[in-house]
């Protein structure tokens, strides 16, 4: 019974770690489309172009 509990606890920790890393990656990354729009908007503002 101890061996099974150890395996299940290890699996739980591994799954939790994968979920936390995935969630962290989703929260911290900025999509390329948002970055390019921000760059285009700032370039248009610098050039004095109203879109």
């Amino acid at each position: 019974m101890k061996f099974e509990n150890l395996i299940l606890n290890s699996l739980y920790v591994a799954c939790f770690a994968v979920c936390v890393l995935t969630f962290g990656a989703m929260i911290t990354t900025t999509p390329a489309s948002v970055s390019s729009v921000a760059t285009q908007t700032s370039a248009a503002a610098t050039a004095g172009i109203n879109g």
Side-chain angles (χ1 to χ4, degrees):
M1 195 68 167
K2 269 188 172 180
F3 179 72
E4 288 88 0
N5 283 336
L6 179 66
I7 294 297
L8 286 175
N9 285 337
S10 299
L11 180 63
Y12 174 76
V13 170
C15 291
F16 184 75
V18 168
C19 289
V20 167
L21 290 173
T22 303
F23 184 72
M26 287 190 293
I27 295 298
T28 58
T29 57
T30 304
S33 60
V34 173
S35 298
S36 64
V37 168
T39 304
Q40 291 173 357
T41 304
S42 64
T46 304
I49 301 170
N50 292 328

